[in-house]
Amino acid sequence: MQKVILVVIDGLQYETALTQMGFLNHLVEKGKAAHLKVISELPSMSRPLYEVLLTGTPSSVNGITSNQAVRLSKEQSLFHLTREAGLRNGAAAYYWVSELYNRAPFHFVEDRQQYDESKPIQCGSFYFEDAYPDSHLILDAEIIRRKQDPHFLYIHPMGLDHAGHVYGSNSKQYRGRAIEMDVILANLLPEWMDAGYQIMITADHGMNEDGQHGGTGDAERHVPFYAIGSAFQPGSYSESMPQLAVAPLVCKLLGINPSEAMITHSYPFLVG
């Protein structure tokens, strides 16, 4: 059975990934990864797009229309679907993800670390400070991977989004955080690749020069998508992919049925 790691780098703009993330683009250049552009849904805000990525449904359907929609999702997420299929899942993510799928509002003591097979997110490590170091978050995820061995692991660092809000996307701080994230991934990707994972790296939304997102501009909606593993045909693809296609792709890779609300999409970069 294939195992999937989905990394969502909060606030990573497409052009910044293309110009600053040397190791990821090295893998594309050397025929070890596929790369294409994803067009995010609207509004290009965090909580609505977490729901898009994890349920494959738009805001007009799922009702998560802003960052202020603090409630459990009513949709079938990838966490629900994997659990129901008898697979293990895990997440190292911002606490809003826990609020969408395990409990809302977030209890800062009880919900920081969660290990409960009856919950949609069975193994969870959640942070609540936007400046929480990406290096720590990635290691939180790696501990879950090594100790719990989930079939589906969701990893969600926030450092780039935080730098973008403080300094704007056209800043050395924002670009520096992209480089830092690339270096962190470079230290773990070879191990994940050797272990046979199907790995996808993308973002919820981008960032504009004012340090904002939520609108319709390319800087806010265009995000990268890197795919690494035996299921993917390497190369740089000119086609763009709708963000709604990510969740059903995870289902396809895991060999589980998508929810009825998910779209049907073809993937030119899939083997076979």
Side-chain angles (χ1 to χ4, degrees):
M1 177 179 293
Q2 295 188 118
K3 295 180 180 178
V4 174
I5 295 175
L6 175 60
V7 182
V8 175
I9 303 172
D10 206 294
L12 176 59
Q13 188 188 83
Y14 177 81
E15 291 297 333
T16 300
L18 207 59
T19 59
Q20 304 300 316
M21 304 189 83
F23 184 73
L24 284 179
N25 290 291
H26 161 78
L27 294 177
V28 177
E29 194 174 88
K30 299 303 179 184
K32 296 182 180 297
H35 169 260
L36 65 153
K37 181 186 296 180
V38 163
I39 311 299
S40 83
E41 282 290 303
L42 292 173
S44 54
M45 301 293 290
S46 294
R47 196 187 297 254
L49 296 183
Y50 303 162
E51 176 80 339
V52 168
L53 285 161
L54 288 162
T55 70
T57 61
S59 287
S60 56
V61 171
N62 61 50
I64 304 298
T65 57
S66 76
N67 288 342
Q68 284 68 52
V70 183
R71 64 165 176 80
L72 286 173
S73 170
K74 63 181 178 62
E75 303 297 328
Q76 286 290 95
S77 73
L78 292 171
F79 301 114
H80 294 87
L81 295 170
T82 49
R83 184 193 61 178
E84 290 170 6
L87 305 182
R88 294 181 303 279
N89 67 55
Y94 196 57
Y95 75 102
W96 289 359
V97 175
S98 177
E99 287 185 326
L100 280 168
Y101 308 112
N102 275 11
R103 179 165 72 167
F106 186 82
H107 191 288
F108 290 89
V109 175
E110 296 177 6
D111 296 344
R112 173 82 170 89
Q113 302 290 335
Q114 300 180 45
Y115 294 91
D116 186 341
E117 291 190 2
S118 69
K119 291 183 177 179
I121 304 173
Q122 297 165 314
C123 309
S125 181
F126 301 99
Y127 63 100
F128 46 83
E129 297 286 351
D130 290 12
Y132 186 70
D134 290 344
S135 58
H136 291 38
L137 182 278
I138 296 295
L139 289 181
D140 292 341
E142 183 64 2
I143 290 167
I144 292 174
R145 187 187 74 85
R146 294 188 183 193
K147 291 189 174 181
Q148 306 299 325
D149 192 27
H151 299 90
F152 171 60
L153 178 60
Y154 178 77
I155 305 176
H156 172 226
M158 181 72 75
L160 202 73
D161 182 75
H162 179 64
H165 283 306
V166 174
Y167 301 105
S169 62
N170 187 22
S171 66
K172 67 178 184 180
Q173 291 88 353
Y174 181 78
R175 290 188 291 271
R177 278 301 181 92
I179 295 170
E180 179 184 319
M181 189 71 248
D182 184 68
V183 171
I184 293 169
L185 289 172
N187 289 328
L188 285 173
L189 278 171
E191 183 174 346
W192 297 349
M193 293 164 69
D194 288 345
Y197 286 89
Q198 308 304 324
I199 306 157
M200 292 173 287
I201 301 166
T202 188
D204 50 350
H205 54 74
M207 185 73 60
N208 66 28
E209 292 188 3
D210 295 333
Q212 300 295 331
H213 55 85
T216 63
D218 290 352
E220 298 162 83
R221 295 193 71 184
H222 291 184
V223 299
F225 184 88
Y226 296 90
I228 306 160
S230 60
F232 307 110
Q233 184 64 45
S236 187
Y237 291 79
S238 59
E239 302 96 326
S240 61
M241 183 170 75
Q243 201 168 44
L244 292 170
V246 174
L249 174 57
V250 173
C251 292
K252 181 183 285 287
L253 293 170
L254 290 170
I256 62 176
N257 292 325
S259 74
E260 292 184 1
M262 290 181 184
I263 67 169
T264 300
H265 190 75
S266 60
Y267 304 95
F269 51 86
L270 279 183
V271 173

